Amino acid sequence: MFQKLFLGKDINRAENTFAWTAASGIVYSCQSLTFLMIITNLMGESAGGLYSVGMMVAQQMLTIGKYSVRNFQVSDIRQKYSFEQYYTFRICTCLVAMLVTIVWILIGGYRGKEAIVIIALTVYKLAECMSDLFEGLYQQRFRFDISGKSQFTKDLVMIIAFVVMIIITRDVVISSIVLAVVSVLMVLIVDFPVAKNFAVIKWNFNLKITWELLVACFSLFISSFFYVFIHNSPKYAIKSISGEDNGMLAIFNALFMPVFVVDLFAGFTMRMWLTKMAVHHEKRDYKGFKKIIVKQMGIIIGLSVVSMAGMYLVGSKLLSLIYGLDLSGYEWTNALLMLSGGLVAIYTLFENVIIIYRHQHASIFINIGTAVAAILIVPPMTISGGILGATIGYVIVNAVRALGYYLMALYYMIKDNKREMAD
Protein backbone atom coordinates (compact mmCIF):
# COMPACT_ATOMS: atom_id res chain seq x y z
CA MET A 1 0.00 0.00 0.00
CA PHE A 2 2.78 2.39 0.98
CA GLN A 3 4.73 1.72 -2.21
CA LYS A 4 1.62 2.24 -4.36
CA LEU A 5 1.36 5.81 -3.13
CA PHE A 6 4.73 6.54 -4.74
CA LEU A 7 4.58 4.19 -7.72
CA GLY A 8 1.05 5.20 -8.75
CA LYS A 9 -0.58 3.96 -11.87
CA ASP A 10 1.36 3.84 -15.08
CA ILE A 11 -0.78 6.55 -16.68
CA ASN A 12 -0.75 10.34 -16.94
CA ARG A 13 2.84 10.47 -15.72
CA ALA A 14 3.74 13.37 -18.03
CA GLU A 15 0.92 15.48 -16.61
CA ASN A 16 2.01 14.84 -13.03
CA THR A 17 5.76 15.09 -13.55
CA PHE A 18 6.05 18.88 -13.66
CA ALA A 19 3.77 19.36 -10.66
CA TRP A 20 5.73 16.93 -8.50
CA THR A 21 9.09 18.23 -9.74
CA ALA A 22 8.06 21.80 -8.97
CA ALA A 23 6.63 20.88 -5.56
CA SER A 24 9.71 18.89 -4.54
CA GLY A 25 12.06 21.61 -5.78
CA ILE A 26 10.22 24.30 -3.84
CA VAL A 27 10.14 22.27 -0.62
CA TYR A 28 13.83 21.38 -0.98
CA SER A 29 14.84 24.99 -1.50
CA CYS A 30 12.67 26.04 1.43
CA GLN A 31 14.51 23.78 3.88
CA SER A 32 17.49 25.99 4.64
CA LEU A 33 15.37 29.13 4.30
CA THR A 34 12.83 27.81 6.81
CA PHE A 35 15.48 26.54 9.21
CA LEU A 36 17.34 29.86 9.31
CA MET A 37 14.09 31.84 9.46
CA ILE A 38 12.82 29.94 12.49
CA ILE A 39 16.18 30.06 14.26
CA THR A 40 16.76 33.80 13.77
CA ASN A 41 13.20 34.75 14.68
CA LEU A 42 13.13 32.64 17.86
CA MET A 43 16.77 32.70 18.95
CA GLY A 44 18.52 35.61 17.22
CA GLU A 45 21.61 36.20 15.08
CA SER A 46 24.02 34.18 17.22
CA ALA A 47 22.03 30.94 16.91
CA GLY A 48 21.53 31.64 13.21
CA GLY A 49 25.29 31.99 12.85
CA LEU A 50 25.87 28.64 14.61
CA TYR A 51 23.50 26.94 12.18
CA SER A 52 25.17 28.75 9.27
CA VAL A 53 28.64 27.52 10.26
CA GLY A 54 27.39 23.93 10.49
CA MET A 55 25.59 24.08 7.17
CA MET A 56 28.57 25.73 5.49
CA VAL A 57 30.77 22.72 6.29
CA ALA A 58 28.00 20.15 5.68
CA GLN A 59 27.41 21.52 2.19
CA GLN A 60 31.10 21.11 1.44
CA MET A 61 30.94 17.46 2.60
CA LEU A 62 27.85 16.92 0.46
CA THR A 63 30.02 17.30 -2.62
CA ILE A 64 32.28 14.48 -1.46
CA GLY A 65 29.33 12.21 -0.70
CA LYS A 66 27.67 12.78 -4.05
CA TYR A 67 30.95 12.82 -5.99
CA SER A 68 28.86 14.31 -8.84
CA VAL A 69 27.76 10.88 -10.05
CA ARG A 70 24.06 11.83 -10.47
CA ASN A 71 24.21 13.38 -13.95
CA PHE A 72 26.65 10.69 -15.10
CA GLN A 73 24.24 8.06 -13.77
CA VAL A 74 21.08 9.42 -15.43
CA SER A 75 22.84 9.96 -18.76
CA ASP A 76 24.13 6.36 -18.70
CA ILE A 77 21.31 5.33 -21.03
CA ARG A 78 23.13 2.17 -22.13
CA GLN A 79 23.46 1.19 -18.46
CA LYS A 80 27.17 0.49 -18.63
CA TYR A 81 27.13 0.27 -14.84
CA SER A 82 24.43 -1.45 -12.81
CA PHE A 83 22.54 0.29 -10.04
CA GLU A 84 24.13 -1.88 -7.37
CA GLN A 85 27.52 -0.61 -8.57
CA TYR A 86 26.36 2.99 -8.29
CA TYR A 87 24.88 2.12 -4.87
CA THR A 88 28.13 0.60 -3.58
CA PHE A 89 30.16 3.52 -4.87
CA ARG A 90 27.85 6.01 -3.13
CA ILE A 91 28.23 4.25 0.22
CA CYS A 92 32.01 4.47 -0.17
CA THR A 93 31.95 8.19 -0.94
CA CYS A 94 29.66 8.89 2.03
CA LEU A 95 32.02 7.06 4.39
CA VAL A 96 34.94 9.09 3.06
CA ALA A 97 32.93 12.30 3.51
CA MET A 98 32.31 11.45 7.16
CA LEU A 99 36.01 10.87 7.76
CA VAL A 100 36.88 14.16 6.05
CA THR A 101 34.34 15.92 8.28
CA ILE A 102 36.15 14.76 11.40
CA VAL A 103 39.50 15.91 10.00
CA TRP A 104 37.92 19.24 8.93
CA ILE A 105 36.65 19.81 12.47
CA LEU A 106 40.04 19.06 14.02
CA ILE A 107 42.00 21.22 11.58
CA GLY A 108 39.44 24.04 11.63
CA GLY A 109 39.53 24.25 15.40
CA TYR A 110 35.78 23.74 15.81
CA ARG A 111 34.84 22.74 19.34
CA GLY A 112 31.78 22.09 21.47
CA LYS A 113 28.45 23.09 19.96
CA GLU A 114 29.95 23.99 16.59
CA ALA A 115 31.54 20.54 16.21
CA ILE A 116 28.33 18.70 17.16
CA VAL A 117 26.20 20.79 14.80
CA ILE A 118 28.68 20.24 11.96
CA ILE A 119 28.60 16.44 12.45
CA ALA A 120 24.80 16.31 12.76
CA LEU A 121 24.17 18.47 9.68
CA THR A 122 26.75 16.45 7.73
CA VAL A 123 24.86 13.23 8.51
CA TYR A 124 21.70 14.99 7.35
CA LYS A 125 23.39 15.95 4.08
CA LEU A 126 24.85 12.45 3.57
CA ALA A 127 21.33 11.05 3.86
CA GLU A 128 20.52 13.46 1.05
CA CYS A 129 23.38 11.86 -0.90
CA MET A 130 21.67 8.46 -0.66
CA SER A 131 18.32 9.99 -1.65
CA ASP A 132 20.02 11.56 -4.66
CA LEU A 133 21.21 8.11 -5.75
CA PHE A 134 17.69 6.65 -5.68
CA GLU A 135 16.17 9.68 -7.36
CA GLY A 136 18.74 9.24 -10.12
CA LEU A 137 17.47 5.69 -10.57
CA TYR A 138 13.88 6.89 -10.98
CA GLN A 139 15.00 9.56 -13.41
CA GLN A 140 16.98 7.02 -15.44
CA ARG A 141 13.78 4.96 -15.73
CA PHE A 142 11.86 8.08 -16.84
CA ARG A 143 9.83 8.05 -13.60
CA PHE A 144 10.34 11.70 -12.68
CA ASP A 145 7.01 11.58 -10.85
CA ILE A 146 8.38 9.12 -8.28
CA SER A 147 11.52 11.20 -7.83
CA GLY A 148 9.38 14.26 -7.16
CA LYS A 149 7.01 12.47 -4.80
CA SER A 150 9.74 10.88 -2.72
CA GLN A 151 11.81 14.06 -2.44
CA PHE A 152 8.73 16.11 -1.55
CA THR A 153 7.68 13.69 1.19
CA LYS A 154 11.11 13.31 2.77
CA ASP A 155 11.95 17.01 2.75
CA LEU A 156 8.55 18.01 4.15
CA VAL A 157 8.88 15.56 7.03
CA MET A 158 12.39 16.83 7.81
CA ILE A 159 11.25 20.45 7.80
CA ILE A 160 8.45 19.65 10.22
CA ALA A 161 10.75 17.64 12.50
CA PHE A 162 13.42 20.36 12.71
CA VAL A 163 10.99 23.25 13.14
CA VAL A 164 9.05 21.43 15.89
CA MET A 165 12.29 20.65 17.75
CA ILE A 166 13.50 24.27 17.51
CA ILE A 167 10.16 25.52 18.85
CA ILE A 168 10.16 23.00 21.72
CA THR A 169 13.83 23.01 22.72
CA ARG A 170 15.14 26.40 21.51
CA ASP A 171 18.39 24.46 20.97
CA VAL A 172 20.20 24.27 17.60
CA VAL A 173 22.35 21.33 18.76
CA ILE A 174 19.48 19.04 19.82
CA SER A 175 17.39 20.00 16.78
CA SER A 176 20.30 19.24 14.42
CA ILE A 177 20.79 15.80 15.97
CA VAL A 178 17.09 15.00 15.59
CA LEU A 179 17.21 16.21 11.97
CA ALA A 180 20.11 13.84 11.28
CA VAL A 181 18.21 10.86 12.72
CA VAL A 182 14.98 11.66 10.84
CA SER A 183 16.84 12.12 7.53
CA VAL A 184 18.39 8.65 7.78
CA LEU A 185 15.05 7.08 8.74
CA MET A 186 13.32 8.67 5.74
CA VAL A 187 15.80 7.07 3.34
CA LEU A 188 15.21 3.67 4.93
CA ILE A 189 11.43 4.04 5.04
CA VAL A 190 10.80 5.66 1.64
CA ASP A 191 13.64 4.98 -0.78
CA PHE A 192 14.63 1.39 -0.13
CA PRO A 193 11.12 -0.15 -0.52
CA VAL A 194 10.29 1.91 -3.63
CA ALA A 195 13.66 1.47 -5.37
CA LYS A 196 13.42 -2.31 -5.09
CA ASN A 197 10.76 -2.16 -7.80
CA PHE A 198 13.36 -0.89 -10.28
CA ALA A 199 16.70 -2.41 -9.34
CA VAL A 200 18.60 -4.77 -7.07
CA ILE A 201 19.90 -2.98 -3.99
CA LYS A 202 22.92 -4.68 -2.52
CA TRP A 203 26.57 -4.14 -1.69
CA ASN A 204 28.65 -5.23 -4.67
CA PHE A 205 32.17 -3.89 -4.32
CA ASN A 206 34.38 -4.29 -7.36
CA LEU A 207 37.71 -2.51 -7.30
CA LYS A 208 37.84 -2.16 -11.10
CA ILE A 209 34.34 -0.65 -11.31
CA THR A 210 34.98 1.59 -8.32
CA TRP A 211 38.16 2.89 -9.92
CA GLU A 212 36.39 3.47 -13.25
CA LEU A 213 33.65 5.53 -11.59
CA LEU A 214 36.24 7.33 -9.49
CA VAL A 215 38.14 8.35 -12.61
CA ALA A 216 35.06 8.98 -14.79
CA CYS A 217 33.50 11.42 -12.33
CA PHE A 218 36.67 12.87 -10.81
CA SER A 219 36.55 16.09 -12.78
CA LEU A 220 32.83 16.43 -12.02
CA PHE A 221 33.61 15.97 -8.34
CA ILE A 222 36.35 18.59 -8.50
CA SER A 223 33.86 20.87 -10.25
CA SER A 224 31.22 20.41 -7.58
CA PHE A 225 33.72 20.72 -4.74
CA PHE A 226 35.03 23.99 -6.13
CA TYR A 227 31.45 25.03 -6.88
CA VAL A 228 30.59 24.78 -3.19
CA PHE A 229 33.88 26.42 -2.28
CA ILE A 230 33.03 29.31 -4.62
CA HIS A 231 29.48 29.31 -3.28
CA ASN A 232 30.88 29.55 0.25
CA SER A 233 33.80 31.88 -0.56
CA PRO A 234 31.98 35.08 0.51
CA LYS A 235 30.84 33.28 3.67
CA TYR A 236 34.38 32.15 4.48
CA ALA A 237 35.59 35.70 3.88
CA ILE A 238 32.88 37.20 6.11
CA LYS A 239 33.57 34.61 8.82
CA SER A 240 37.26 35.51 8.62
CA ILE A 241 36.75 39.24 9.17
CA SER A 242 34.00 38.86 11.79
CA GLY A 243 35.82 36.32 13.99
CA GLU A 244 33.72 34.63 16.68
CA ASP A 245 30.78 36.98 16.11
CA ASN A 246 28.52 35.04 13.73
CA GLY A 247 25.95 37.84 13.41
CA MET A 248 27.33 39.23 10.14
CA LEU A 249 27.39 35.71 8.67
CA ALA A 250 23.76 35.19 9.67
CA ILE A 251 22.79 38.45 7.90
CA PHE A 252 24.64 37.48 4.72
CA ASN A 253 23.09 33.99 4.79
CA ALA A 254 19.64 35.57 5.01
CA LEU A 255 20.40 37.74 1.98
CA PHE A 256 22.00 34.79 0.19
CA MET A 257 19.08 32.37 0.55
CA PRO A 258 17.15 33.42 -2.61
CA VAL A 259 20.28 33.14 -4.82
CA PHE A 260 19.43 29.76 -6.26
CA VAL A 261 15.81 30.56 -7.10
CA VAL A 262 16.75 30.97 -10.77
CA ASP A 263 18.76 27.74 -10.83
CA LEU A 264 15.96 25.97 -8.97
CA PHE A 265 13.16 26.93 -11.35
CA ALA A 266 15.35 26.50 -14.43
CA GLY A 267 16.25 23.09 -13.02
CA PHE A 268 12.62 21.95 -13.27
CA THR A 269 12.86 21.85 -17.05
CA MET A 270 16.55 20.89 -17.06
CA ARG A 271 15.86 17.68 -15.13
CA MET A 272 13.18 16.66 -17.62
CA TRP A 273 15.25 17.61 -20.66
CA LEU A 274 18.63 16.19 -19.60
CA THR A 275 17.93 12.59 -20.60
CA LYS A 276 16.24 13.83 -23.79
CA MET A 277 19.39 15.78 -24.60
CA ALA A 278 21.41 12.60 -24.13
CA VAL A 279 19.05 10.76 -26.50
CA HIS A 280 19.32 13.54 -29.14
CA HIS A 281 23.10 13.33 -28.87
CA GLU A 282 23.07 9.54 -29.18
CA LYS A 283 20.91 9.80 -32.33
CA ARG A 284 23.10 12.60 -33.73
CA ASP A 285 20.07 14.89 -33.75
CA TYR A 286 21.98 18.16 -33.35
CA LYS A 287 19.00 20.30 -34.24
CA GLY A 288 16.91 18.86 -31.42
CA PHE A 289 19.89 19.06 -29.06
CA LYS A 290 20.51 22.76 -29.77
CA LYS A 291 16.80 23.55 -29.58
CA ILE A 292 16.68 22.38 -25.97
CA ILE A 293 19.75 24.48 -25.09
CA VAL A 294 18.20 27.61 -26.62
CA LYS A 295 14.94 27.03 -24.75
CA GLN A 296 16.79 26.55 -21.47
CA MET A 297 18.84 29.72 -21.98
CA GLY A 298 15.64 31.66 -22.62
CA ILE A 299 14.17 30.37 -19.37
CA ILE A 300 17.32 31.28 -17.41
CA ILE A 301 17.53 34.83 -18.81
CA GLY A 302 13.84 35.49 -18.24
CA LEU A 303 13.94 34.23 -14.66
CA SER A 304 17.11 36.23 -13.95
CA VAL A 305 15.65 39.54 -15.11
CA VAL A 306 12.39 39.06 -13.21
CA SER A 307 14.10 37.94 -9.99
CA MET A 308 16.64 40.79 -10.06
CA ALA A 309 13.91 43.41 -10.46
CA GLY A 310 11.75 41.81 -7.78
CA MET A 311 14.54 41.49 -5.22
CA TYR A 312 15.75 45.06 -5.81
CA LEU A 313 12.27 46.48 -5.26
CA VAL A 314 10.92 44.36 -2.39
CA GLY A 315 13.71 41.95 -1.41
CA SER A 316 14.96 43.80 1.67
CA LYS A 317 11.50 44.28 3.14
CA LEU A 318 10.49 40.70 2.41
CA LEU A 319 13.65 39.16 3.85
CA SER A 320 13.50 41.40 6.93
CA LEU A 321 9.97 40.20 7.55
CA ILE A 322 10.91 36.55 7.03
CA TYR A 323 14.05 36.46 9.19
CA GLY A 324 13.20 39.04 11.80
CA LEU A 325 16.44 40.91 11.03
CA ASP A 326 17.02 44.48 9.83
CA LEU A 327 18.06 43.93 6.20
CA SER A 328 17.25 47.39 4.85
CA GLY A 329 19.78 49.08 2.58
CA TYR A 330 20.78 45.89 0.74
CA GLU A 331 18.83 46.53 -2.48
CA TRP A 332 21.84 46.28 -4.82
CA THR A 333 23.17 43.30 -2.89
CA ASN A 334 19.84 41.52 -3.42
CA ALA A 335 19.80 42.24 -7.17
CA LEU A 336 23.43 41.22 -7.68
CA LEU A 337 22.94 37.99 -5.76
CA MET A 338 20.06 37.06 -8.09
CA LEU A 339 22.32 37.83 -11.09
CA SER A 340 24.86 35.41 -9.65
CA GLY A 341 22.07 32.83 -9.37
CA GLY A 342 21.41 33.21 -13.11
CA LEU A 343 25.12 32.73 -13.83
CA VAL A 344 25.06 29.54 -11.75
CA ALA A 345 22.14 28.24 -13.84
CA ILE A 346 24.07 29.00 -17.06
CA TYR A 347 27.11 27.17 -15.75
CA THR A 348 24.92 24.17 -14.79
CA LEU A 349 23.37 24.01 -18.25
CA PHE A 350 26.67 23.92 -20.11
CA GLU A 351 28.22 21.57 -17.57
CA ASN A 352 25.47 19.11 -18.47
CA VAL A 353 26.29 19.57 -22.16
CA ILE A 354 29.93 18.73 -21.46
CA ILE A 355 28.88 15.66 -19.45
CA ILE A 356 26.73 14.39 -22.30
CA TYR A 357 29.69 14.78 -24.66
CA ARG A 358 31.73 12.88 -22.04
CA HIS A 359 34.44 15.57 -21.91
CA GLN A 360 33.82 16.39 -18.25
CA HIS A 361 37.51 15.89 -17.43
CA ALA A 362 38.46 19.06 -19.29
CA SER A 363 36.30 21.16 -16.97
CA ILE A 364 38.82 20.74 -14.17
CA PHE A 365 40.90 23.57 -15.64
CA ILE A 366 37.94 25.95 -15.50
CA ASN A 367 37.23 25.09 -11.90
CA ILE A 368 40.81 25.40 -10.72
CA GLY A 369 41.06 28.77 -12.43
CA THR A 370 37.75 29.91 -10.94
CA ALA A 371 38.74 28.77 -7.45
CA VAL A 372 41.98 30.72 -7.73
CA ALA A 373 39.96 33.76 -8.85
CA ALA A 374 37.71 33.36 -5.81
CA ILE A 375 40.71 33.25 -3.48
CA LEU A 376 42.25 36.32 -5.08
CA ILE A 377 39.10 38.41 -5.55
CA VAL A 378 36.54 37.70 -2.82
CA PRO A 379 38.56 38.19 0.43
CA PRO A 380 40.03 41.63 -0.43
CA MET A 381 36.69 42.84 -1.78
CA THR A 382 35.01 41.67 1.43
CA ILE A 383 37.58 43.49 3.55
CA SER A 384 37.09 46.74 1.60
CA GLY A 385 33.36 46.54 0.95
CA GLY A 386 31.84 44.26 3.56
CA ILE A 387 28.75 42.36 2.45
CA LEU A 388 28.36 44.32 -0.81
CA GLY A 389 32.03 43.78 -1.62
CA ALA A 390 31.69 40.05 -0.98
CA THR A 391 28.65 39.99 -3.27
CA ILE A 392 30.38 41.80 -6.15
CA GLY A 393 33.35 39.44 -5.86
CA TYR A 394 30.97 36.47 -5.93
CA VAL A 395 29.28 37.77 -9.11
CA ILE A 396 32.64 38.25 -10.87
CA VAL A 397 33.79 34.74 -10.00
CA ASN A 398 30.53 33.17 -11.21
CA ALA A 399 30.72 35.16 -14.46
CA VAL A 400 34.22 33.80 -15.08
CA ARG A 401 33.02 30.25 -14.48
CA ALA A 402 29.87 30.52 -16.62
CA LEU A 403 31.85 31.97 -19.54
CA GLY A 404 34.42 29.20 -19.26
CA TYR A 405 31.79 26.45 -19.40
CA TYR A 406 29.97 28.09 -22.29
CA LEU A 407 33.13 28.35 -24.39
CA MET A 408 34.13 24.78 -23.59
CA ALA A 409 30.69 23.36 -24.45
CA LEU A 410 30.63 25.38 -27.68
CA TYR A 411 34.05 24.04 -28.64
CA TYR A 412 33.02 20.39 -28.23
CA MET A 413 29.68 20.89 -29.98
CA ILE A 414 31.38 22.47 -33.02
CA LYS A 415 34.12 19.84 -33.03
CA ASP A 416 31.64 16.95 -32.83
CA ASN A 417 29.43 18.47 -35.53
CA LYS A 418 32.41 18.86 -37.89
CA ARG A 419 33.43 15.26 -37.30
CA GLU A 420 29.91 14.06 -38.10
CA MET A 421 29.81 16.12 -41.32
CA ALA A 422 33.22 14.73 -42.35
CA ASP A 423 31.97 11.16 -41.84
Side-chain angles (χ1 to χ4, degrees), residues 76 118 141 230 279 293 370:
D76 184 12
I118 288 171
R141 301 295 192 271
I230 294 164
V279 172
I293 293 176
T370 309

Short mmCIF file of all heavy atoms in Angstrom, two decimals, residues 76 118 141 230 279 293 370:
data_model
loop_
_atom_site.label_atom_id
_atom_site.label_comp_id
_atom_site.label_asym_id
_atom_site.label_seq_id
_atom_site.Cartn_x
_atom_site.Cartn_y
_atom_site.Cartn_z
N ASP A 76 23.61 7.68 -18.35
CA ASP A 76 24.13 6.36 -18.70
C ASP A 76 22.99 5.53 -19.28
O ASP A 76 22.54 4.53 -18.71
CB ASP A 76 24.71 5.69 -17.46
CG ASP A 76 25.37 4.34 -17.74
OD1 ASP A 76 25.56 4.02 -18.94
OD2 ASP A 76 25.67 3.60 -16.79
N ILE A 118 28.05 20.59 13.24
CA ILE A 118 28.68 20.24 11.96
C ILE A 118 28.49 18.75 11.66
O ILE A 118 28.11 18.36 10.55
CB ILE A 118 30.18 20.60 11.97
CG1 ILE A 118 30.36 22.11 11.89
CG2 ILE A 118 30.90 19.94 10.79
CD1 ILE A 118 31.79 22.58 12.11
N ARG A 141 14.91 5.78 -15.25
CA ARG A 141 13.78 4.96 -15.73
C ARG A 141 12.62 5.82 -16.22
O ARG A 141 11.52 5.33 -16.42
CB ARG A 141 13.28 4.04 -14.61
CG ARG A 141 14.33 3.08 -14.04
CD ARG A 141 14.80 2.06 -15.07
NE ARG A 141 15.58 1.00 -14.42
CZ ARG A 141 16.89 1.03 -14.23
NH1 ARG A 141 17.59 2.10 -14.65
NH2 ARG A 141 17.53 0.05 -13.64
N ILE A 230 33.34 27.99 -4.06
CA ILE A 230 33.03 29.31 -4.62
C ILE A 230 31.74 29.84 -4.02
O ILE A 230 31.64 31.02 -3.66
CB ILE A 230 32.91 29.23 -6.16
CG1 ILE A 230 34.28 28.88 -6.77
CG2 ILE A 230 32.38 30.53 -6.75
CD1 ILE A 230 34.21 28.41 -8.20
N VAL A 279 19.62 11.56 -25.40
CA VAL A 279 19.05 10.76 -26.50
C VAL A 279 19.28 11.45 -27.84
O VAL A 279 19.65 10.81 -28.83
CB VAL A 279 17.54 10.52 -26.28
CG1 VAL A 279 16.91 9.87 -27.51
CG2 VAL A 279 17.33 9.64 -25.05
N ILE A 293 18.82 23.53 -25.71
CA ILE A 293 19.75 24.48 -25.09
C ILE A 293 19.23 25.90 -25.20
O ILE A 293 19.26 26.68 -24.24
CB ILE A 293 21.14 24.37 -25.74
CG1 ILE A 293 21.78 23.02 -25.41
CG2 ILE A 293 22.06 25.50 -25.24
CD1 ILE A 293 23.11 22.79 -26.09
N THR A 370 38.80 29.15 -11.63
CA THR A 370 37.75 29.91 -10.94
C THR A 370 37.99 29.94 -9.43
O THR A 370 37.75 30.97 -8.78
CB THR A 370 36.37 29.31 -11.24
OG1 THR A 370 36.20 29.16 -12.64
CG2 THR A 370 35.27 30.21 -10.70
#
